[in-house]
Amino acid sequence: MRTMCAMQFFRDFSLSALSAGFVAVLVGVTSSVALVFQAAQAFGATPAQISSWMWALGWGIGLCCAVPSLLLRKPVMVAWSTPGAAVLAAAGVAGGFSMAEAVGAFIVSAALIALCGFSGWFERVMDRIPAAIAAALLAGVLARFGLQVFESAQTALPLVLSMLLTYVLSRRLWPRYAVMLTLVAGIACAAWQGQMQWSQVEWRLALPVFTTPSFTWQACISVALPLFVVTMASQNLPGVAVIRTAGYALPVSRLVGTTGVVTLLLAPFGAFGINLAAITAAICMGTEAHADPAKRYTAAVWCGLFYVLLGIFGAVVAGLLAAFPKELVMAIAGLALLGSIGGGLVAALQQDSSREAALITFLVTLSGVVIAGIGSAFWGVVAGGLTLFVQQYQPWRTKAR
């Protein structure tokens, strides 16, 4: 079975899928790796423990992407919880928790996620969200990255213009390789301008460091519960929206449950939160990854393999990715997501009956508002759902006798 899956994978190989997988890792890591390091340091992590965090996250995410994608022949994309890392950084500083208490909180949060996944509770909630609201949620999450393409032009105009021009020409002449060629053009321009920060690279391997967990009620309330809530509301919820908008029928409950179990197993080594991806998933599930939807799983497999390399080489890979100028990362992310943003908006605004609710969902999600520590993705769904309920609910309607 494994041999057949591998043979099929190589038969379905394409440079565009490999490029999409690399861009997904580039965007996922460079956009938040500093936040992960900050979260680890907030709990007093040593350099060896920080490296272990990268080892655990790289292996956990890599295997959760590559193995299910190969078996299902559909793109399964996971990532670490970026809002979760922000919660940890704040909780670690405010609460003065030790690394052992943090690991105990990771285990509690992971167990709750696994329970929500395997019980089917989370998927049942997602089934009640109208398709237009889910599409608007996706568009709102991704549109922030689209805006960053043009925001980054304020500080790196030649770099962004060269990438934008390459993207437009490539979409016309070689649409399958547009993102890859745009990335190459961006790297070449950045290197020519001397913007590549090679000093960020540290040549050492990552090794696992086991931390014995300690369970305290203070850490459970201040760390585990907020981590669980933001991971489910700000990561898994939009992750499912991406999957469904892309048209893939995936076993969501099992996948969410699996991410919880993998996080639980790797928590003593620093895996604080592995969950369904949204932004990077859209990169690997879009037409830029492969023209044939049935072959886009190869992009997710490549993404998984690159994450495994991140796990093995840890600081080296993180340093290489950190060497890219932030404007390059912002631009390639936004350009790679243009197709997904457009598709989400079309699906969201198609029906007159749900257009206003979808638009409110889109705007609230795009705003980036954070209330009670929960991100705008959750509040966008709440606002859109309430709008749709008020507009369509008719309590006076009675059945004809």
Side-chain angles (χ1 to χ4, degrees), residues 64 68 76 78 107 109-123 228 231-232 236 240 250-265 274-276:
C64 284
V76 175
V78 302
I107 291 174
S109 174
L112 291 173
I113 292 172
L115 178 63
C116 286
F118 288 125
S119 67
W121 172 81
F122 179 67
E123 190 168 8
F228 164 71
T231 298
M232 296 300 291
N236 283 330
V240 175
L250 289 172
V252 170
S253 293
R254 278 187 289 160
L255 292 176
V256 171
T258 299
T259 61
V261 170
V262 172
T263 304
L264 192 151
L265 293 175
I274 297 173
N275 44 249
L276 297 179

Side-chain angles (χ1 to χ4, degrees), residues 80-84 87 109 112-113 116 121-123 125-126 129 133-134 137-138 140-141 144 224-242 256 259 274-279 361 364-365 369-383:
W80 62 55
S81 176
T82 300
V87 167
S109 174
L112 291 173
I113 292 172
C116 286
W121 172 81
F122 179 67
E123 190 168 8
V125 171
M126 288 300 303
I129 298 177
I133 300 296
L137 166 67
L138 170 64
V141 170
R144 292 201 299 273
L225 288 181
L227 178 61
F228 164 71
V229 171
V230 300
T231 298
M232 296 300 291
S234 301
Q235 294 283 160
N236 283 330
L237 190 149
V240 175
V242 174
V256 171
T259 61
I274 297 173
N275 44 249
L276 297 179
I279 308 301
T361 300
V364 173
T365 305
V369 63
V370 177
I371 302 174
I374 300 175
S376 61
F378 175 79
W379 298 116
V381 173
V382 170

Side-chain angles (χ1 to χ4, degrees), residues 190-232:
W192 178 68
Q193 293 182 317
Q195 294 181 326
M196 299 296 288
Q197 302 174 28
W198 300 117
S199 60
Q200 297 284 341
V201 182
E202 297 180 25
W203 299 101
R204 56 188 176 87
L205 299 180
L207 296 173
V209 176
F210 182 87
T211 300
T212 303
S214 173
F215 300 94
T216 64
W217 68 267
Q218 293 94 337
C220 286
I221 293 174
S222 300
V223 181
L225 288 181
L227 178 61
F228 164 71
V229 171
V230 300
T231 298
M232 296 300 291

Side-chain angles (χ1 to χ4, degrees), residues 283-311:
I283 294 173
C284 291
M285 293 182 183
T287 55
E288 290 79 6
H290 204 290
D292 184 355
K295 296 182 179 180
R296 292 174 193 165
Y297 78 94
T298 56
V301 175
W302 280 117
C303 179
L305 294 176
F306 286 128
Y307 266 114
V308 169
L309 286 177
L310 174 66

Side-chain angles (χ1 to χ4, degrees), residues 166-177:
T166 302
Y167 178 80
V168 173
L169 290 175
S170 300
R171 288 290 294 170
R172 174 70 185 273
L173 302 174
W174 308 284
R176 287 185 61 183
Y177 308 108

